[in-house]
């Protein structure tokens, strides 16, 4: 008994640490798209409004809600901030931009358009000073294209690496596959980071695997989850099916509640768990895809397909790594007579409560 109870407590403690992080999807991602025109440079920045609310006052009446009218009033301030923070140097000369138009996409994202009135002949330097204002983990995907839409540079920027230096002569001699490989690596890493901080997805995975006692049932669940993500990837990449985040995110919370309750009611022998995983995995996959689509993220030459593929592969790799660490403890607890029932019920109750919190947060708050 002295051995079993600490292990049981450790399992619930790990679950509590995951559940304790209520922010399932911090914004943390933006895009910056530059187009080199014959006589000027066009820049388009897309980011979550939540990322900028701390620097631009929007709630003018202090009622804790930002109305459509208040967002409209905030547009000039948003444009001014981005114009000040985005630094463009053309052939060694820093160029200033006047604040451009700001638009909202209905998904709590803002898009700012800027123009820099100087043609690039030899070299372009881009520094996204806006990243210094944001948390360390924020990443901004930069793409640079020529007037014909050809990719010139792609890079994932962060607070500690917020610049890109582009020499046109070197770009002309470089091979396109190298840029594509670099973009693949950036989005693969982003996918790993997303699943490791996607606490709702991790709780869903924990609830699914909490009923398993051995490798084969767990392998079926993980495999069906992976297949579902792949189908979602194809649908999202080809734009065959698009679901709004206002539907997907609450539904993800509902799937967590359902699996937790099923574990409590049906115990450790629920039939068809892999088929349930497949169906719910499709919805979770749309949540993954939406992270990139809503930010207008795309690779210059391959559009959304390469980023989505690399991002999903990163998610799957992170998911497998987490499962490899957690499953031995789950199996050990499930195979102990003294802890099995308490572990499954206690963990499932915690999962359901956290899912209910996210559901309320995403629909009413």
């Amino acid at each position: 008994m002295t051995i079993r109870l600490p292990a049981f407590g450790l399992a619930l403690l790990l679950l509590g640490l995951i559940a304790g992080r209520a922010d399932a999807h911090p914004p943390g991602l933006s895009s910056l798209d530059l187009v080199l025109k014959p006589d000027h440079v066009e820049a388009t920045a897309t980011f979550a409004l939540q990322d900028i609310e701390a620097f631009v006052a929007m709630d003018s009446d202090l009622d804790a809600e930002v109305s459509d009218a208040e967002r409209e009033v905030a547009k000039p301030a948003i444009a001014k901030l981005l114009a000040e923070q985005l630094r463009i140097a053309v052939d060694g000369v820093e160029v200033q931009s006047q604040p451009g138009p700001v638009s909202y996409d209905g998904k709590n994202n803002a898009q700012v358009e800027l123009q820099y009135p100087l043609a690039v002949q030899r070299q372009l330097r881009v520094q996204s000073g806006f990243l210094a204002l944001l948390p360390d983990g924020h990443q901004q995907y930069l793409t640079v294209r020529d007037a014909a839409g050809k990719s010139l540079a792609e890079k994932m920027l962060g607070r500690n690496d917020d610049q890109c230096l582009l020499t046109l002569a070197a770009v002309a001699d470089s091979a396109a596959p190298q840029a594509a490989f670099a973009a693949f690596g950036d989005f693969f890493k982003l996918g790993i980071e997303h699943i490791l901080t996607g606490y709702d997805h991790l709780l869903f995975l924990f609830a699914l695997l909490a009923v398993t006692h051995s490798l084969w049932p767990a392998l079926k669940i993980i495999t069906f989850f992976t297949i579902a993500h792949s189908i979602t990837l194809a649908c999202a990449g080809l734009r065959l099916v698009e679901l709004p985040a206002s539907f997907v995110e609450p539904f993800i919370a509902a799937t967590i509640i359902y699996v937790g309750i099923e574990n409590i009611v049906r115990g450790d022998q629920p039939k068809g768990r892999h088929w349930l995983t497949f169906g719910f995995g499709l919805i979770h996959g749309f949540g993954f895809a939406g992270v990139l689509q809503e930010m207008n993220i795309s690779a210059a030459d391959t559009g959304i397909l390469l980023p989505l593929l690399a991002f999903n592969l990163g998610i799957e790799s992170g998911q497998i790594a987490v499962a490899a660490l957690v499953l031995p403890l789950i199996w050990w607890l499930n195979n102990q007579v003294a802890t099995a029932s308490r572990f499954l019920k206690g963990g499932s109750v915690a999962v359901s409560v956290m899912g209910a919190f996210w559901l309320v947060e995403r629909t009413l708050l």
Side-chain angles (χ1 to χ4, degrees), residues 93-113:
V93 178
E94 188 158 329
V95 186
Q96 298 296 323
S97 170
Q98 294 298 316
V102 177
S103 59
Y104 303 130
D105 64 2
K107 302 173 183 176
N108 289 323
N109 299 318
Q111 188 174 81
V112 181
E113 299 177 18

Side-chain angles (χ1 to χ4, degrees), residues 128-168:
S128 185
F130 183 54
L131 295 173
L133 305 176
L134 301 174
D136 285 333
H138 189 100
Q139 297 183 82
Q140 185 173 69
Y141 192 67
L142 168 69
T143 58
V144 183
R145 301 172 170 89
D146 63 15
K150 178 184 176 182
S151 172
L152 301 177
E154 301 177 22
K155 183 179 180 180
M156 193 72 77
L157 304 178
R159 173 183 282 191
N160 298 323
D161 185 13
D162 64 353
Q163 298 187 39
C164 177
L165 182 64
L166 173 66
T167 302
L168 296 187

Side-chain angles (χ1 to χ4, degrees), residues 143-300:
T143 58
V144 183
R145 301 172 170 89
D146 63 15
K150 178 184 176 182
S151 172
L152 301 177
E154 301 177 22
K155 183 179 180 180
M156 193 72 77
L157 304 178
R159 173 183 282 191
N160 298 323
D161 185 13
D162 64 353
Q163 298 187 39
C164 177
L165 182 64
L166 173 66
T167 302
L168 296 187
V171 171
D173 296 335
S174 65
Q178 294 178 354
F181 181 79
F184 186 94
D186 286 335
F187 286 109
F188 181 82
K189 179 182 177 183
L190 186 64
I192 294 177
E193 293 174 352
H194 184 74
I195 190 62
L196 294 181
T197 57
Y199 304 106
D200 51 354
H201 301 295
L202 289 178
L203 278 182
F204 177 70
L205 182 63
F206 169 84
L208 290 170
L209 296 174
V211 300
T212 63
H213 292 254
S214 59
L215 177 61
W216 176 240
L219 186 60
K220 282 201 299 183
I221 289 172
I222 294 173
T223 300
F224 273 67
F225 205 19
T226 300
I227 293 173
H229 290 170
S230 300
I231 292 175
T232 301
L233 167 67
C235 291
L238 299 175
R239 301 215 177 257
L240 298 176
V241 179
E242 294 187 43
L243 298 178
S246 59
F247 169 80
V248 172
E249 292 302 322
F251 201 102
I252 287 174
T255 65
I256 297 170
I257 298 171
Y258 180 91
V259 175
I261 292 175
E262 184 181 64
N263 288 352
I264 297 170
V265 174
R266 303 181 67 179
D268 62 355
Q269 298 295 330
K271 296 181 180 179
R273 174 52 61 93
H274 54 290
W275 291 114
L276 177 72
T277 302
F278 179 82
F280 285 170
L282 292 173
I283 300 298
H284 281 250
F286 278 114
F288 294 144
V291 172
L292 303 185
Q293 288 179 317
E294 291 180 10
M295 285 287 109
N296 290 330
I297 297 289
S298 64

